[in-house]
Amino acid sequence: MAVANKVNEAVQRTLDSLVADGREIGVQVAAWVGEEQVVDCWAGIADPGTGRPVDGDTLFNVYSVSKAVTATALHIQAERGLVDYDAPVTTYWPEFAQAGKSDVTVRHVLGHVSGVLRMPSDVTPELMTNWDWMCGRIAEMPGAYPAGSRSSYQSMTFGWLVGEVVRRTDPRRRPFGQFVREEIAEPLGATDLWFGIPAEVEARIARLDAVAVYVMPDGNAMREAQPLVVDLMPDPFERPYVRRACIPAVGGIFNARSEARFWAMLANGGQLGGVRLLSEERVASFAGPRPHFDDADPVFFGMKVPIGWAGFWLGGAEAPPVSSPRSMRALCHPGMGGSIGWADPDRKLAVAFCHNRMFDTIEIDQDSRTLIGDVIRAAL
């Protein structure tokens, strides 16, 4: 308990300072070491328009942090013998074979080397919320690259590619958001992991501020993967009908308390509080690199994206955001604008960082996420 108090106090002081200095608006951090929660902190304002403060129950858009939970849903199906990573996606989703995609495997999708990165050219925010329309259009479209040929980050399509395989292999054929709720969130006590919110929690969501984010213009692979009309910005993701939809690559609305429980399950080898979702051996395998690990990714403007084979980013110390865990054995996932969560199996440390001041960070010493990670490790 003394160690937990020490860590919690150090993080709280840091969050208060970040808000006072204008580097954050509203922010939450939660962390676990083994089976003990050691951090539950927050600071700042959830809604600058009304002055509503952040508290422990405030919810945040976490964007691509969502992909870690989505990938885990698929790993649960593999754990149950319902999915083979090396099987073609068409084994489970026959319509996906259209336009020359019959050789795309589940493993290709998890490692972002499927080539199926493009969103439909006629997508709108409204159509993006229609699961069947999105899956139908993705099934019809050709890949941008041959399967397995190169890194091609599936910024938004990842969610429907993985989610539809999970849905079709679920004996109950539950909608993907319901599957996550019943198979991940509720068993872990992570009750605020939402893929499609109910109306009653909307008042708890923090308002986003994206003034510190560069918006890429059209005419590049990023905009094929993430069209401007559905860009990862406050609009459209603060529209009520978008919040209520299951958009599993980028639409998660979490708080740090619930998200940290999810990462703690991974940091503890697939279990938390006596609830086991995945085998220890399977979780240990997730830190392995994917094919084309060192590729320049066209969706990331030719930068290297340190993704493992299993759908998680791998931590390290080179640059934000992967500097946050400071370990190449750590599993992590950043989200647009600066959210992140990670699990460090060597320390059994799990951290969730949620906030509403979206930013692009290049230098480690300017990165709130890395600073918080360093404060936690130093206090421990």
Side-chain angles (χ1 to χ4, degrees):
M1 182 63 70
V3 172
N5 289 340
K6 176 184 175 184
V7 181
N8 200 74
E9 289 169 3
V11 172
Q12 188 64 63
R13 285 194 302 270
T14 305
L15 296 186
D16 290 340
S17 176
L18 288 169
V19 170
D21 292 345
R23 292 172 59 180
E24 296 290 346
I25 298 171
V27 59
Q28 284 175 341
V29 176
W32 287 64
V33 176
E35 295 279 347
E36 181 183 9
Q37 185 171 6
V38 296
V39 176
D40 185 24
C41 292
W42 55 87
I45 300 299
D47 185 346
T50 65
R52 171 168 55 98
V54 173
D55 61 25
D57 294 322
T58 302
L59 296 167
F60 293 84
N61 295 74
V62 298
Y63 292 115
S64 284
V65 179
S66 311
K67 290 183 176 71
V69 179
T70 294
T72 297
L74 192 148
H75 293 306
I76 287 172
Q77 294 297 78
E79 185 87 8
R80 294 170 175 170
L82 298 171
V83 171
D84 179 347
Y85 296 127
D86 293 309
V89 171
T90 59
T91 304
Y92 314 108
W93 180 2
E95 301 91 329
F96 186 76
Q98 298 174 72
K101 301 194 301 301
S102 60
D103 58 346
V104 175
T105 67
V106 174
R107 192 182 296 271
H108 287 147
V109 171
L110 283 170
H112 292 267
V113 294
S114 73
V116 186
L117 63 90
R118 294 180 177 130
M119 286 284 278
S121 60
D122 52 345
V123 72
T124 65
E126 292 82 1
L127 290 169
M128 178 177 65
T129 68
N130 183 324
W131 185 277
D132 291 338
W133 186 88
M134 282 299 310
C135 289
R137 292 289 285 116
I138 289 170
E140 294 170 358
M141 295 167 58
Y145 304 102
S149 66
R150 66 168 303 156
S151 178
S152 50
Y153 188 68
Q154 303 142 177
S155 177
M156 300 185 78
T157 58
F158 183 89
W160 292 287
L161 293 170
V162 171
E164 185 67 353
V165 170
V166 171
R167 190 187 70 82
R168 292 190 180 222
T169 57
D170 176 16
R172 293 169 54 193
R173 296 295 191 274
R174 285 167 287 182
F176 185 73
Q178 182 182 346
F179 182 97
V180 169
R181 188 115 202 105
E182 295 177 355
E183 302 292 346
I184 298 176
E186 291 175 353
L188 294 177
T191 52
D192 277 320
L193 293 181
W194 296 104
F195 285 127
I197 64 161
E200 58 267 25
V201 309
E202 187 159 17
R204 291 199 275 132
I205 303 173
R207 289 193 61 187
L208 295 166
D209 184 323
V211 296
V213 176
Y214 173 68
V215 178
M216 175 64 66
D218 279 330
N220 51 70
M222 164 60 86
R223 282 295 163 235
E224 291 186 302
Q226 195 173 297
L228 276 168
V229 70
V230 289
D231 200 9
L232 307 185
M233 289 288 134
D235 185 33
F237 279 85
E238 289 185 333
R239 299 184 188 187
Y241 64 86
V242 173
R243 286 172 167 172
R244 284 164 176 68
C246 180
I247 304 171
V250 293
I253 297 177
F254 304 164
N255 61 24
R257 286 174 173 170
S258 286
E259 188 192 321
R261 283 180 171 271
F262 164 77
W263 291 105
M265 176 272 296
L266 293 170
N268 285 293
Q271 70 83 33
L272 183 69
V275 174
R276 179 164 292 282
L277 299 188
L278 298 167
S279 71
E280 190 170 359
E281 296 75 18
R282 189 177 302 273
V283 174
S285 79
F286 293 166
R290 61 174 177 164
H292 305 285
F293 184 76
D294 291 319
D295 275 8
D297 193 294
V299 176
F300 271 87
F301 328 122
M303 294 189 296
K304 173 183 170 181
V305 188
I307 295 172
W309 73 268
F312 301 92
W313 290 38
L314 305 182
E318 294 180 1
V322 292
S323 54
S324 302
R326 300 285 195 187
S327 169
M328 277 298 293
R329 283 174 42 79
L331 306 175
C332 67
H333 216 297
M336 178 69 179
S339 294
I340 196 169
W342 77 83
D344 182 338
D346 296 329
R347 294 183 171 93
K348 294 192 180 300
L349 172 63
V351 178
F353 177 96
C354 301
H355 73 158
N356 58 354
R357 182 183 183 270
M358 301 174 69
F359 57 67
D360 295 321
T361 306
I362 298 174
E363 301 297 331
I364 287 178
D365 62 1
Q366 300 172 4
D367 189 72
S368 299
R369 301 161 292 191
T370 303
L371 174 61
I372 290 297
D374 289 346
V375 166
I376 290 171
R377 285 182 288 268
L380 286 171

